[in-house]
Amino acid sequence: AGTSSGAFSCASPSNAGGFATLQYDGIDGTMDLDPSGLFSDPENDWTVASGFGLRTVVESDFTTTAEVQVYSGSANDYCSATITIPGGSNFENVNVEYQEFSAIGAGCDFSNVGAFQFIVQVDNDVDVVISQISVVGPIIYNECTCVCPEFTCIIAIDHDDDGFVYYATSDFDDDGFNNPTTDLSTLYSTATYSFSTGNDDDDDDSSSGSPSSGSSSSGDDDDDNGSSSSSSDASALAVTPALFAVVLALVL
């Protein structure tokens, strides 16, 4: 038995058997148990973050068992539990909860562990490797708040009347970080709506169902000349049917 590359291994030859002990009780250079050797270790409280058990990552070619002993200052008082190590060619997670331990003498305090050891049974031709021992606790879920970027609706003139909108680049700046891409679908989904407008008063009503929250000023609808406060583009729209595209654009 011994340790190498961060793992503990033990084996027995054919027609032989026995026990191998993996001991954690501080750095003392001896197998003599020090039941308070981990009191100075800041991680000797196994109940932090609601810890409730031990997990052992272990591999064994044949099924065997190991006794887990946990001490809190006295060699005569400890907690004991026996785990079954399954046989196979892969590492397995073997869990044991604190409530499954039996108290020997006064038992132990899992919030103040002074030492612990694994006593592995190695019967005829058994090879065991322990790669990790850790504390098991509940999964803590934190609330996630999603913040969506602001957007606005704009009315854009489709000059060539083909109803197609194309963005040559999407190099949007977000707090100093550029996000270049040639595919806008990786940034957001855009919805485009097209509709026709003309001279008739009814055209204003027909376009009122547009999902756009923006607006376009084309002057007084009763003014046949389309003059007054309308711009040159708006005047052209008042006398010539055209396509409008309502584009949802992200303001990043």
Side-chain angles (χ1 to χ4, degrees), residues 78-98:
Y78 60 95
C79 297
S80 173
T82 298
I83 62 174
T84 297
I85 302 173
S89 58
N90 298 315
F91 281 94
E92 303 287 346
N93 294 328
V94 179
N95 296 343
V96 56
E97 297 185 9
Y98 300 154

Side-chain angles (χ1 to χ4, degrees), residues 68-81:
V68 185
Q69 299 176 346
V70 182
Y71 298 82
S72 294
S74 171
N76 297 320
D77 304 310
Y78 60 95
C79 297
S80 173

Side-chain angles (χ1 to χ4, degrees), residues 153-156 190-195 210-213 244-248:
C153 295
I154 66 170
I155 297 180
T190 181
T192 302
Y193 301 87
S194 297
F195 57 92
S210 167
S212 169
S213 64
F244 278 74
V246 180
V247 182
L248 281 178

